[in-house]
Amino acid sequence: MSYRFADVIDRHLRAGSEFTRRLLAVGPEQWTAPTPCAEWDVRRLVNHVTRGNLNYIVLLDGGSAADFLRLRDEDALGGDPIGAYNRSVQECAAAFRRPGALQQILDYPLGPVAGGQALAVRTTDTVIHTWDLARALGVPEKLDPGLTAWIEDNLVHIYAGLAESPIAVDTTHRFFAAPGAPPAEETRQSRLLRLMGR
């Protein structure tokens, strides 16, 4: 496993805590509010992130890319969205703490990948969706600067060898960085969000 991902479990937990902070702000009437992800309202966004955590456990348990995709939209929230999300974060962390999990090769939908790199992708997804949730709720959108810097500094390694990458010239549908030169005063968060299609 690359030393770059040596502390990825801690970063996953930190990203999860940041997402929870926004999640606690969801009012009863906001679960159906639109998000920057056009196909999702707030509940579907939260389900996507929760289900994602659980799907990475499926991969560690020997699940296939097909299993991952089949389960992607399955409801993981039930009647307790916040509790379900928080449990998924802890269960995912526990699964990746198993001996050898960070080195295990997973059948990830974007290509075979070691567990440590896969969890880095998962952590990146959580951070970006934290911004999506904040924007949907109208709460402060500033992301954790340490997580933002780590992701931006390691994008090439986080997405190395995968079929989709935010920094590939021929990036696929997942990422939609605006064409042309970036703004002169672009912050690290703004650059990361731009690369991720926000």
Side-chain angles (χ1 to χ4, degrees):
M1 179 193 61
S2 167
Y3 73 91
R4 298 173 188 280
F5 305 134
D7 56 357
V8 69
I9 296 174
D10 291 338
R11 294 185 191 279
H12 159 75
L13 290 169
R14 198 156 118 208
S17 294
E18 287 292 299
F19 191 85
T20 296
R21 254 191 337 115
R22 278 53 170 214
L23 191 52
L24 291 171
V26 180
E29 74 290 349
Q30 290 181 300
W31 289 103
T32 56
T35 73
C37 304
E39 69 273 27
W40 296 331
D41 60 15
V42 166
R43 183 182 171 92
R44 290 186 69 189
L45 171 65
V46 175
N47 188 70
H48 167 77
V49 182
T50 304
R51 187 70 249 174
N53 289 332
L54 299 176
N55 278 352
Y56 278 69
I57 301 171
V58 169
L59 293 181
L60 281 172
D61 288 342
S64 67
D67 295 326
F68 186 103
L69 295 173
R70 176 176 51 81
L71 295 168
R72 186 168 49 185
D73 296 322
E74 186 175 283
D75 181 64
L77 302 182
D80 180 20
I82 296 173
Y85 174 71
N86 287 330
R87 284 190 297 275
S88 78
V89 172
Q90 296 300 322
E91 290 168 8
C92 186
F96 277 92
R97 284 195 184 102
R98 298 174 194 164
L102 295 177
Q103 293 77 34
Q104 182 179 336
I105 301 302
L106 308 182
D107 185 24
Y108 188 59
L110 297 180
V113 66
Q117 184 181 349
L119 190 57
V121 173
R122 171 95 294 265
T123 300
T124 300
D125 193 60
T126 299
V127 170
I128 300 305
H129 287 316
T130 296
W131 181 87
D132 293 331
L133 182 58
R135 170 62 60 95
L137 300 176
V139 300
E141 298 173 3
K142 184 172 176 57
L143 298 172
D144 181 294
L147 287 171
T148 300
W150 177 78
I151 292 168
E152 192 193 11
D153 288 345
N154 290 285
L155 274 175
V156 68
H157 306 286
I158 292 170
Y159 289 93
L162 298 182
E164 296 179 5
S165 168
I167 54 176
V169 174
D170 58 345
T171 190
T172 60
H173 69 280
R174 176 174 295 214
F175 306 107
F176 299 96
E185 300 299 321
E186 192 172 41
T187 64
R188 298 199 85 174
Q189 175 170 314
S190 296
R191 178 176 183 272
L192 179 61
L193 290 170
R194 178 175 58 82
L195 289 172
M196 293 295 181
R198 281 21 180 219

